[in-house]
Amino acid sequence: MVSSRRPSERRLSDRRPSAVSSRRPSIDPWRLIPMDKASHVGGSDDFNVVFIGAGNIMFGSDEGPWNHSFRFEHKLGRRLKVVALIDPAIERATAVLQKKCDSFVVSAYQDTRVFKTLEDFVKSMSPKDRPRAVIVGSPPMFRGSLQPGRDIEMQILKHFPGVAMFIEKPIATGPLHEIEDAFTVAKAISESKTICSVGYMLRYLKAVQMMKQIIEENNLTVMATVARYACAYQAIAKPDWWDKSKSAGPVVEQGTHFCDLSRYFGGEVDISTVSAHSLEWDENAGHLSKISIDESKIAPENRIPRVTTATW
């Protein structure tokens, strides 16, 4: 819903001012094209990248279109050099790396080394291996914190000041008492003036940018947003996704995209107004007929709700 009244005609009480960070102007929608049709970024020098995480978000799966390696390969072409792949699951990382080396993008991965931790890479890194970007696709419980082993952003700032980073969403799923840690991490990144992007890619859909352009060109004000996310739960075979203690639940893990779109169009959230209700796993309507994991292995208090609805 939008209002076409000009700013001078609106009362101050009509709406709370939106924060600048959530209301950036639109990108020309016609600039947005499928990645496999994009032109390579100009230049002939190597572009060193570090991938943190060797799972589905970094290398793709049947579950969806998430595949950061694919985007870098198409955007940078032969310039791309993945200098390190960091994942404690060495065998999995080695296996996905071998698949890349057996493909047409071998030039990007033929010298890639696998490490368990960022610290291990730093210790053995030569000057020519210094990355120009670090892509963080590790599980969310291992980022957005100040706790050792879960403070990857702070480690990147420490070892590679000024190097751009991409952080997958959600930025953190730690316990309630660590929420302030995420704000501290965000502040540290902002104050360092490091280029940092978070994976809220729905903002960059052509349809979203077209709507944004229409709103701007017609001087409209968004008065309300309505968003719904329905998950094909039977296709999700990752036990962590079903465990609130690890994923923080479907709203934080995936519905967060639609919360972000609501902010993008409607402005920041007044947290004091949030009202939410959920349908839990043990209610009659919460019994699922098809599920790809053994939920009995998850503590009852950590099983995810089936439906969540919220207004603010």
Side-chain angles (χ1 to χ4, degrees):
M1 288 180 281
V2 299
S3 169
S4 59
R5 283 192 295 169
R6 297 186 179 280
S8 61
E9 298 173 328
R10 299 187 190 115
R11 297 185 303 276
L12 290 176
S13 60
D14 279 353
R15 67 173 281 124
R16 184 170 46 86
S18 301
V20 173
S21 63
S22 66
R23 301 299 302 277
R24 291 175 179 169
S26 70
I27 301 168
D28 179 359
W30 302 108
R31 288 178 53 197
L32 302 174
I33 59 175
M35 184 55 67
D36 59 354
K37 293 179 172 55
S39 299
H40 292 168
V41 174
S44 57
D45 58 321
D46 290 346
F47 194 103
N48 290 351
V49 175
V50 168
F51 286 163
I52 298 178
N56 296 348
I57 199 71
M58 198 70 77
F59 293 102
S61 72
D62 294 336
E63 189 182 314
W66 305 277
N67 189 332
H68 295 316
S69 62
F70 171 88
R71 287 163 174 78
F72 272 88
E73 291 154 11
H74 283 76
K75 197 67 176 177
L76 290 170
R78 294 186 65 83
R79 293 182 63 197
L80 175 63
K81 304 298 176 188
V82 180
V83 294
L85 175 56
I86 298 171
D87 194 305
I90 294 294
E91 288 187 6
R92 178 178 63 180
T94 302
V96 296
L97 183 58
Q98 186 58 54
K99 288 182 180 179
K100 290 292 186 180
C101 287
D102 291 339
S103 73
F104 71 98
V105 292
V106 59
S107 65
Y109 299 93
Q110 60 190 3
D111 296 319
T112 304
R113 293 184 294 165
V114 175
F115 298 91
K116 281 190 173 183
T117 67
L118 182 67
E119 191 74 31
D120 290 343
F121 168 60
V122 170
K123 289 177 181 177
S124 66
M125 181 187 72
S126 66
K128 69 180 181 62
D129 292 332
R130 182 177 175 79
R132 294 171 66 175
V134 179
I135 314 305
V136 179
S138 52
M141 66 283 294
F142 296 112
R143 56 179 184 258
S145 173
L146 298 177
Q147 304 304 312
R150 297 167 48 218
D151 59 344
I152 191 65
E153 300 93 338
M154 302 303 289
Q155 292 302 311
I156 294 169
L157 289 176
K158 173 185 173 181
H159 296 298
F160 304 114
V163 171
M165 65 177 86
F166 177 93
I167 311 295
E168 251 310 323
K169 55 86 316 262
I171 57 172
T173 58
L176 185 62
H177 66 270
E178 289 184 13
I179 288 178
E180 282 304 315
D181 283 5
F183 285 99
T184 301
V185 171
K187 183 179 180 183
I189 294 172
S190 178
E191 291 179 347
S192 72
K193 301 191 183 305
T194 296
I195 294 174
C196 180
S197 182
V198 178
Y200 287 109
M201 73 284 192
L202 296 187
R203 288 189 176 207
Y204 307 106
L205 291 174
K206 183 178 287 188
V208 168
Q209 291 303 318
M210 183 66 79
M211 288 187 282
K212 193 78 167 175
Q213 185 180 71
I214 291 170
I215 291 168
E216 291 170 359
E217 290 179 351
N218 292 277
N219 198 25
L220 304 175
T221 296
V222 175
M223 305 304 289
T225 62
V226 179
R228 182 176 69 175
Y229 167 67
C231 167
Y233 63 85
Q234 71 271 23
I236 298 179
K238 295 180 290 188
D240 287 357
W241 187 88
W242 295 85
D243 187 333
K244 286 190 294 188
S245 69
K246 297 178 179 178
S247 71
V251 173
V252 171
E253 228 294 330
Q254 291 178 307
T256 181
H257 280 296
F258 300 91
C259 297
D260 180 66
L261 283 183
S262 289
R263 291 176 56 241
Y264 189 48
F265 285 113
E268 292 296 354
V269 179
D270 182 347
I271 296 296
S272 68
T273 69
V274 175
S275 175
H277 301 275
S278 63
L279 171 70
E280 296 298 333
W281 67 274
D282 56 349
E283 298 182 66
N284 286 337
H287 297 162
L288 303 179
S289 61
K290 187 175 182 181
I291 184 171
S292 56
I293 62 114
D294 183 357
E295 199 173 27
S296 67
K297 294 181 178 179
I298 300 173
E301 65 272 17
N302 291 331
R303 296 175 192 174
I304 61 171
R306 305 324 196 196
V307 179
T308 300
T309 178
T311 59
W312 57 83

